[in-house]
Amino acid sequence: IAPPVGAMSAYLARLGATRTYLKLRDFGKQLTRQLPVRVDRAITRAVEHARGYVTGGTLFEELGFYYVGPIDGHNLDHLLPVLKNVRDTDVGGPVLIHVVTQKGKGYAPAESAEDKYHGVNTFDVGIAEQHAVTFAAGLATEGYKPFCAIYSTFLQRAYDQVVHDVSIQKLPVRFAIDRAGLVGADGATHAGSFDIAYLGCLPDMAIMAAADEAELVHMVATAAAYNDGPIAFRYPRGEGVGVDMPEFGVPLKIGKGRVMREGTRVALLSLGTRLGEALKAAEMLAAHGLSTSVADARFAKPLDRDLIRRLAANHEVLITIEEGSVGGFGSFVMQALAEDGAFDGTGATALKFRSMVLPDIYLDHDKPDRLYAQAGLDARAIVAKVLGVLGRSEDAATSLIA
């Protein structure tokens, strides 16, 4: 006999998963329990076998499962009601839902191929990070555009492969670095503190950091379009900030930042997600007479040297802010300024430069806001840093950030 398929089978499967049917089934069982055990057992087996002949699944019923199906897995009008019924109904034991799908449904090459395209993905290598990086390098040599998506802390495990299999060969592997920065409840083992530093020292490595979810869209497009070598874009754990999302990503100009707010005395140069806090700090500083510029670097490497020079030349104070360890973006900026002689001035003309980074400790898990306060990377900490650089008194600092 052919297997039960089609509308009638779907209807019976849905009916068999309803609360009404199951109540009638339980009522029937209660009646038969009043009969002798052998008669009760015979009637129960006969009913279940009869249902098995109609809907299939006699084998599973014999194994103790309540069988529902078969159901066309591509027809949501059939599938969803059954799933909802099973979810909302206690059948008194395990339930097996038999869903029938077609290989490669909707994709003709997969439908016609017996051995290929069982699932069209990026390749999943599990937790073999070293293999993932070398595999991505191999794909790049063959003309693919591999995106190697790994947590910041897990990419540390594959650093040798990043250097020797990707960087030395200048292969265009795109590193999508998740969990960049503090991670709240995930704690120190997952906090991406070091990736800017350990990737930024590699020749020809481009590094981006998204300030918000819209910027991340553009950075993905940038990475896809970039073929001059390896490129990384880092993004944090958690939700976005709620900005309007672009319909399409537009590739960014490599190594170019953007000015978000123009001021004259203080310049805050942010890399990544601390941009919002830098803008808040600028408002607080402006309310007390300190005109403040805010810029989003976008790139840790290559640096926007023109933007950095302009900020250094036109402001008394320049502070970099990043959600990463010492040795990262701030160090790159300081090196560039030193090479330009920006620190050679004396007296009132000397540039006052500071770099705000994650503290030199492993931060334990906590709520994100408390972690940023503890790390000294929220708006209040930025304001306090500016006031300290300018020699404002502690009382002034307290009144400003209250």
Side-chain angles (χ1 to χ4, degrees), residues 91-167:
V91 301
V95 179
L96 188 144
I97 304 174
H98 181 185
V99 179
V100 179
T101 58
Q102 179 184 357
K103 173 182 168 292
K105 177 70 172 179
Y107 184 54
E111 290 181 0
S112 60
E114 294 183 359
D115 59 337
K116 297 180 180 179
Y117 301 112
H118 288 277
V120 182
N121 299 308
T122 54
F123 298 92
D124 185 355
V125 301
I127 59 173
E129 292 85 2
Q130 297 93 332
H131 170 61
V133 172
T134 301
F135 184 23
L139 292 173
T141 65
E142 295 299 317
Y144 288 87
K145 289 192 172 185
F147 279 74
C148 190
I150 304 181
Y151 289 5
S152 172
T153 51
F154 295 175
L155 187 58
Q156 295 163 184
R157 303 171 182 171
Y159 191 63
D160 182 73
Q161 286 71 26
V162 173
V163 175
H164 292 100
D165 297 337
V166 176
S167 179

Side-chain angles (χ1 to χ4, degrees), residues 201-215:
C201 61
L202 301 180
D204 301 312
M205 176 69 73
I207 305 172
M208 300 176 284
D212 55 49
E213 58 269 42
E215 280 289 288

Side-chain angles (χ1 to χ4, degrees), residues 284 380 383-385 387-388 392-402:
M284 298 164 68
R380 293 168 63 90
V383 169
K385 176 68 75 174
L387 296 177
R392 294 287 184 95
S393 67
E394 184 175 337
D395 291 341
T398 302
S399 65
L400 190 59
I401 63 178

Side-chain angles (χ1 to χ4, degrees), residues 158-279:
Y159 191 63
D160 182 73
Q161 286 71 26
V162 173
V163 175
H164 292 100
D165 297 337
V166 176
S167 179
I168 288 179
Q169 301 184 76
K170 203 176 178 179
L171 292 173
V173 173
R174 292 95 179 151
F175 291 100
I177 304 178
D178 194 0
R179 298 318 202 256
L182 300 179
V183 289
D186 279 350
T189 57
H190 287 66
S193 306
F194 313 114
D195 54 272
I196 303 174
Y198 70 67
L199 292 179
C201 61
L202 301 180
D204 301 312
M205 176 69 73
I207 305 172
M208 300 176 284
D212 55 49
E213 58 269 42
E215 280 289 288
L216 181 58
V217 173
H218 298 311
M219 289 181 181
V220 172
T222 305
Y226 188 75
N227 292 299
D228 293 338
I231 189 169
F233 54 94
R234 70 193 311 258
Y235 52 97
R237 176 184 186 269
E239 300 177 353
V241 298
V243 299
D244 293 334
M245 294 293 286
E247 185 176 359
F248 301 103
V250 178
L252 304 173
K253 189 171 182 179
I254 299 298
K256 289 298 178 182
R258 55 177 179 162
V259 176
M260 309 298 295
R261 177 190 177 112
E262 292 280 5
T264 59
R265 190 173 182 190
V266 177
L268 304 177
L269 179 56
S270 172
L271 176 74
T273 56
R274 295 293 84 200
L275 179 63
E277 293 299 301
L279 289 168

